[in-house]
Amino acid sequence: MTTAPTELRTIGILGAGRVGTAVARQALKAGYEVKIATAKSASEISLIVEIITPGAIAVDAAEAASADLVVIAVPLHKYRTLDPELLAGLTAIDVMNYWAPIDGELDDFEGDPRTSSEIIQAYLPETRIVKSLNHIGYHDLEEHGREPGSPDRRALALASDDEEAKALVAGFIDRLGYDAVDAGPLSAGRAYQPGTEIFASAHNAEQMRPLLEAAKQPAHS
């Protein structure tokens, strides 16, 4: 497996829905080069990318995967359209959520005790998956970013089984305008999935850390 880059310059985004394009616009504001790919060819999406995310480049998936960091923002039920070989060796942020009341039940996730990101990691075994950017609304992502040290700076949690990948994504989150809070291994992403307090509202770093710690404690019967 290749080593993660120490400095990010390019961001590849797989998916051009509301979340993916919001991340793209925020990344552009932060000074990154952004490449967006969907299941369609680059020529088919170039006009919509130009309109919705001016400054981003429409590319095919292979070129998006050549970026320093990849953001997986496809609809969760389409996760098997991702190419494990294409994403091998890469650091990727999983922004997807399994939210049955909204999206309907999915057999791959419904009866599995693992978090959705752990299932994605198993499907993409050679990719460094980091769970983040899933517990902030796409509108909020573009509006709530603040400079480091701002008293109202919002925090975003991240979880991964790869420490190097977490450090890379933490730097990206900081550039987007948020404090990155390390939740722990990928399984710890359960603490900010749909239905949790972290998912439902905004927190600063001091507020988020005890919520993440509390989520690690066994439930009392």
Side-chain angles (χ1 to χ4, degrees), residues 19 76 94-104 106 109-110 114-117 131-137 187-201:
V19 176
L76 183 61
D94 172 19
V95 305
M96 301 178 290
N97 286 305
Y98 178 50
W99 201 352
I102 302 298
D103 302 319
L106 300 177
F109 301 90
E110 188 60 29
R114 296 173 296 175
T115 65
S116 61
S117 289
K131 181 70 167 180
S132 194
L133 301 178
N134 69 305
H135 56 291
I136 182 170
S187 60
R190 190 182 306 278
Y192 48 96
Q193 291 185 150
T196 64
E197 183 177 347
I198 292 176
F199 184 88
S201 55

Side-chain angles (χ1 to χ4, degrees), residues 73-183:
V74 301
L76 183 61
H77 69 275
K78 293 185 177 182
Y79 81 93
R80 288 188 179 274
T81 64
L82 300 167
D83 184 346
E85 290 187 8
L86 189 65
L87 298 175
L90 304 178
T91 296
I93 303 177
D94 172 19
V95 305
M96 301 178 290
N97 286 305
Y98 178 50
W99 201 352
I102 302 298
D103 302 319
E105 294 185 359
L106 300 177
D107 291 342
D108 283 9
F109 301 90
E110 188 60 29
D112 200 308
R114 296 173 296 175
T115 65
S116 61
S117 289
E118 289 175 286
I119 295 172
I120 300 301
Q121 178 68 87
Y123 176 70
L124 302 171
E126 298 302 318
T127 306
R128 303 181 190 88
I129 295 293
V130 180
K131 181 70 167 180
S132 194
L133 301 178
N134 69 305
H135 56 291
I136 182 170
Y138 58 92
H139 284 309
D140 292 346
L141 179 65
E142 296 186 76
E143 297 171 1
H144 290 186
R146 298 290 187 271
E147 292 294 324
S150 299
D152 60 342
R153 200 180 205 219
R154 183 169 172 175
L156 294 176
L158 72 163
S160 178
D161 294 333
D162 188 295
E163 294 299 321
E164 191 176 75
K166 277 195 289 190
L168 190 73
V169 173
F172 176 63
I173 289 172
D174 180 64
R175 284 271 298 272
L176 294 186
Y178 299 87
D179 286 333
V181 178
D182 188 348

Side-chain angles (χ1 to χ4, degrees), residues 13-98:
I13 299 180
L14 301 177
R18 292 173 175 174
V19 176
T21 53
V23 174
R25 288 189 293 269
Q26 194 70 2
L28 286 164
K29 285 195 293 184
Y32 293 106
E33 178 184 343
V34 177
K35 304 176 180 182
I36 300 178
T38 70
K40 298 180 179 180
S41 68
S43 60
E44 289 180 274
I45 66 170
S46 60
L47 180 58
I48 192 168
V49 166
E50 182 180 343
I51 294 171
I52 298 177
T53 56
I57 305 167
V59 299
D60 294 325
E63 188 171 348
S66 71
D68 296 328
L69 176 67
V70 173
V71 177
I72 302 175
V74 301
L76 183 61
H77 69 275
K78 293 185 177 182
Y79 81 93
R80 288 188 179 274
T81 64
L82 300 167
D83 184 346
E85 290 187 8
L86 189 65
L87 298 175
L90 304 178
T91 296
I93 303 177
D94 172 19
V95 305
M96 301 178 290
N97 286 305
Y98 178 50

